[in-house]
Amino acid sequence: MNTGTPAPTVRQKTPESSAPRPARRPAARTAQGARAGGAPADAGAASGEQLLLWTSAERFPGELLPGESAVVFTGEAARERDDFEITSVHGHRYRLTRSFGWRIARMPFAFSPSNGGYCWIGWDPTLAQALEWMRWDSASRHLAAGRWKRWGHLVGTVPFSLDLDTQELEDGVLRVSRYGRQGLAADYPWGWETRADGSLPESPNRRSGASGRLEYAAWCLTRQGFDDVPTDRLEVVRSYWSRDTDCATGGPNHLGSCKRTDPQFLVRVHGPDTAVLGTVVLCAQHLGNRLGGSAGYYRPSLLTAVAQQVSGRSWLDWQDRLTELTWDLVVRAVDRGLPVPDVAQALREEALAEGERRAAQAAKKAAKEQKLPRRAQEAAAQTARAGRYARRAELIAQALAAEAEARERIRRETDEMSGSI
């Protein structure tokens, strides 16, 4: 197979050949018209002058399979030569461009500042490698579409259960259900996918864990179902020290969002009728998220934003502190049979105390710069601390109002941007 650009036909110059050439014409290529050498399918019937007018930019220099076709790419930022649009046997379209090797992108083409909009398939790939990748990617996408066409009707909600239930529907396709959610997990050479997308991963290390990939896919499919369980239907039983069970919200330790060092709790799940459905394990981070006011997986952004405003410390610091407080306060209570304490209120009080400490420190520094005596510096610090302490409720209300205003502004700007697209 010829992977370079064919040299144009050389012919001795004649008065007839010195006439101006006609404008280029994009020509569709088929397997019969893309033989090695790049000549059109009807080259045998064409005259020598017509062959000379077939420019190298319009010739596809590779070998196409039956059912594949190639045309010159004419979209935005098209190159002068060696820029083609390929259609695969399964009907998927790709842009194939020669630039430091052959680069390929799925259509519709969209420029990206990180990779130019092209897929990563290696350093300076040859045309043969790009075509092989295209065929593999198209076949994988076709396989995924067929799988979801046959079994996609099973995706949805099912009766709630804490147990993971799997059923093999066909070779490489599993039905997965848990927490009232059901979905499909499909096996590919690079791991398990949970969507009808068989596109090849651009990174060879995507989901390359030696074990647990199916567990991760099952968690992705079913996690939202557990987040939908209201926090008031969860009963913290005791601390849990074994490492044999994954966090119900965070997923597998080696692939999910939990840290290995997060301590865990045994939690009893109640149904709408208060009946006990079973027990799960939650780590301190995700139990703290629920106690802080979120649905579980996501951080309680309102609580940590208010803590940042009244303290001056970053909301990231308060996210970590919420996990620490959850472990310190909740373990001490539940292991003694006491009710779960108000962790969110404890965090707010710490944030307020931090703001008072910083205010006192700033007042003392200002008095020192004025060269006041030490007693006056201490008095200024105490006055600043007492002033902020007396305004605690006001500071919380102001922070809540500011956060609500900021969220409304973001929502309004997002709606305006969406309307202009």
Side-chain angles (χ1 to χ4, degrees):
M1 179 173 61
N2 181 15
T3 60
T5 303
T9 305
V10 178
R11 191 167 67 89
Q12 185 176 0
K13 192 171 184 180
T14 64
E16 292 78 10
S17 63
S18 61
R21 294 185 177 185
R24 285 177 51 190
R25 57 178 181 86
R29 304 296 314 284
T30 63
Q32 291 77 17
R35 300 183 179 91
D42 58 348
S47 67
E49 182 68 24
Q50 289 173 323
L51 287 177
L52 180 62
L53 296 180
W54 188 275
T55 64
S56 61
E58 291 173 323
R59 293 197 252 185
F60 184 69
E63 186 81 22
L64 295 180
L65 300 179
E68 297 176 342
S69 62
V71 298
V72 175
F73 178 76
T74 57
E76 186 178 356
R79 294 176 177 266
E80 295 250 344
R81 55 184 295 160
D82 297 332
D83 196 357
F84 302 94
E85 182 179 322
I86 312 295
T87 302
S88 72
V89 173
H90 302 293
H92 301 112
R93 295 160 49 236
Y94 300 84
R95 181 182 180 183
L96 191 58
T97 308
R98 182 156 66 174
S99 174
F100 301 102
W102 286 88
R103 307 172 69 190
I104 191 166
R106 300 181 184 94
M107 295 289 287
F109 181 80
F111 175 79
S112 169
S114 60
N115 58 10
Y118 294 91
C119 301
W120 168 255
I121 61 174
W123 295 105
D124 300 338
T126 64
L127 178 58
Q129 290 172 334
L131 288 175
E132 181 183 9
W133 185 93
M134 180 269 292
R135 289 160 184 154
W136 190 15
D137 180 76
S138 179
S140 183
R141 294 165 67 184
H142 180 71
L143 173 65
R147 287 171 165 177
W148 257 258
K149 183 178 180 179
R150 289 188 294 273
W151 305 107
H153 63 279
L154 298 176
V155 177
T157 58
V158 293
F160 189 90
S161 172
L162 297 177
D163 299 323
L164 177 64
D165 180 42
T166 62
Q167 176 189 5
E168 186 175 25
L169 303 174
E170 64 178 66
D171 187 26
V173 181
L174 295 180
R175 177 190 60 79
V176 178
S177 64
R178 184 173 54 184
Y179 306 143
R181 296 299 177 94
Q182 182 167 271
L184 301 178
D187 191 19
Y188 296 88
W190 59 88
W192 291 85
E193 292 285 358
T194 58
R195 300 173 300 163
D197 180 13
S199 301
L200 299 186
E202 296 181 29
S203 170
N205 296 321
R206 188 177 77 164
R207 299 183 188 173
S208 60
S211 61
R213 291 182 293 177
L214 178 57
E215 287 83 350
Y216 182 77
W219 171 72
C220 291
L221 289 169
T222 61
R223 175 194 61 80
Q224 186 60 50
F226 187 78
D227 278 0
D228 291 343
V229 177
T231 301
D232 58 11
R233 283 169 45 190
L234 302 181
E235 177 189 357
V236 184
V237 180
R238 58 176 174 82
S239 56
Y240 189 80
W241 296 96
S242 299
R243 287 290 173 179
D244 56 351
T245 306
D246 296 326
C247 173
T249 299
N253 275 333
H254 55 298
L255 290 172
S257 62
C258 295
K259 299 177 181 177
R260 291 179 179 272
T261 56
D262 285 344
Q264 295 179 324
F265 295 88
L266 186 67
V267 178
R268 188 175 293 132
V269 182
H270 294 266
D273 56 354
T274 71
V276 177
L277 303 178
T279 58
V280 297
V281 169
L282 288 178
C283 70
Q285 172 186 327
H286 290 102
L287 177 61
N289 291 349
R290 281 186 172 270
L291 298 179
S294 82
Y297 179 74
Y298 297 101
R299 299 284 195 169
S301 57
L302 179 60
L303 175 64
T304 54
V306 169
Q308 172 178 282
Q309 293 196 39
V310 301
S311 68
R313 286 177 57 186
S314 170
W315 55 274
L316 292 171
D317 295 336
W318 291 113
Q319 285 184 351
D320 294 337
R321 183 56 185 154
L322 179 62
T323 300
E324 296 170 356
L325 279 175
T326 300
W327 178 247
D328 294 340
L329 300 180
V330 176
V331 167
R332 193 181 307 164
V334 297
D335 283 356
R336 291 173 172 80
L338 302 176
V340 175
D342 190 342
V343 178
Q345 181 60 27
L347 186 79
R348 281 190 289 266
E349 291 179 357
E350 277 201 9
L352 290 166
E354 175 65 16
E356 294 158 9
R357 185 191 68 81
R358 293 194 175 202
Q361 189 178 38
K364 184 176 181 180
K365 181 180 179 180
K368 185 177 181 180
E369 291 175 349
Q370 297 175 11
K371 301 188 182 303
L372 298 178
R374 184 178 298 274
R375 189 182 298 273
Q377 295 176 22
E378 296 294 339
Q382 290 295 333
T383 301
R385 186 188 298 272
R388 281 190 67 92
Y389 182 84
R391 297 174 55 233
R392 278 191 165 191
E394 178 186 351
L395 292 172
I396 292 292
Q398 289 177 352
L400 287 171
E403 183 64 19
E405 181 181 354
R407 295 188 178 202
E408 174 60 25
R409 175 179 53 81
I410 293 173
R411 185 199 62 77
R412 186 172 59 253
E413 293 177 351
T414 301
D415 291 343
E416 292 175 356
M417 291 176 62
S418 300
S420 62
I421 295 177

